[in-house]
Amino acid sequence: MQPGILTRRGFMMGGAGAATVALTGCSATTAEKERPAVVPVESPALATIYGPVPEEQFPLPAIPYQKISKRFHRQMVSDPTGERPGTLVVDTANYYLYLTYEGAQAMRYGVGLGRQGFEWSGQGVIQYKRQWPRWTPPDEMVARQPELVPYSIANGGMAPGLKNPLGARALYIFKNGEDTLYRIHGSPEWNSIGKSVSSGCVRMINQDVVDLYGRVPDKAPIVVTSLPRLSAV
C-alpha cells in the first residue's frame, strides 16, 4: 500500500455511481465468510462493558457477549501496527480496529467490514463525529429500493434510533478534505462482528463505538490496511 492513497475496489468493479450507492448506504448484506465457532465466555467485566446503557438518548440493550468470539471483545493489547499513538488502524485481515497508545499498547475492537467488491485501503482522517446520526441513503439507492423513499435526502433521512443503520455513533472518514463515503459506525447487529457484511463501512457493536467515540478526537489519523493473519483464538 502506498502512503496517502485511498482505494475503492467497488469503483473498479461497477463504476463510481454504483460504488457510491453501496458505500453511502452502509447497509447490511448476507455474510460471505464463516467465522470460527464461538467459545462462550462468562465475565463480570464483560457483562459491564456490554451491559445495558440506559443513559443514552436511545437506551442501548445489553449485548450477549457470550455469543461473540472472545477475540472480538474490547481489550487493551500490544500494538501490532507500528503507527504513532493516537492513530486508528483498521486491520481488514483480522476484523480488528486498533486505537494506538503510548507504550506500544492499543485498544482493540472487533469489527464487521465491507463485503468483497467494496474492500478499501489507505489513509485518511476522522473529519468529524456524530452522536446518534441520521441516515440518508443516496437517491440512486432509493431508486433501486423504493421502500427507502421515506428516508431519502429529500425527506430528511432516517431519524436517529436503535434501528438506524449508523447506530449510536458515526465517525466520518475524509481524504484530502473530501468525503470518502466510508464511516466507522455502530450497529445493533452484534452477530455481524468478524464478518464481511456491510457495504464498505466499518461497523462496531454500539457499546464499542460509544467507547471509541469518547477516545478519538476530530482529525485523528486513520489507516486501513491488512496485517498478518492471526490465529482465531
Side-chain angles (χ1 to χ4, degrees), residues 86-214:
T87 303
L88 282 168
V89 180
V90 179
D91 173 10
T92 59
N94 296 289
Y95 296 88
Y96 292 145
L97 183 151
Y98 295 92
L99 174 59
T100 60
Y101 281 88
E102 298 282 354
Q105 297 291 297
M107 183 63 76
R108 189 180 78 188
Y109 307 83
V111 298
L113 297 171
R115 67 189 185 275
Q116 185 177 7
F118 297 101
E119 297 168 354
W120 53 290
S121 63
Q123 299 180 353
V125 299
I126 302 301
Q127 188 74 7
Y128 56 88
K129 310 177 297 180
R130 293 289 184 267
Q131 299 187 44
W132 292 105
R134 298 185 72 86
W135 178 58
T136 52
D139 292 339
E140 294 88 346
M141 177 180 283
V142 174
R144 293 173 58 185
Q145 299 177 252
E147 69 274 14
L148 297 180
V149 167
Y151 312 123
S152 67
I153 295 172
N155 287 325
M158 179 184 287
L162 294 177
K163 295 183 179 180
N164 187 297
L166 294 183
R169 303 287 190 275
L171 288 69
Y172 296 76
I173 303 173
F174 277 56
K175 173 68 178 177
N176 295 330
E178 296 184 0
D179 190 350
T180 67
L181 306 179
Y182 296 111
R183 315 284 184 247
I184 300 171
H185 65 87
S187 172
E189 297 178 354
W190 53 266
N191 57 343
S192 68
I193 302 305
K195 299 176 181 177
S196 297
V197 291
S198 68
S199 296
C201 294
V202 179
R203 57 165 57 189
M204 304 177 69
I205 296 170
N206 272 321
Q207 278 83 340
D208 280 347
V209 79
V210 169
D211 180 82
L212 179 69
Y213 181 98

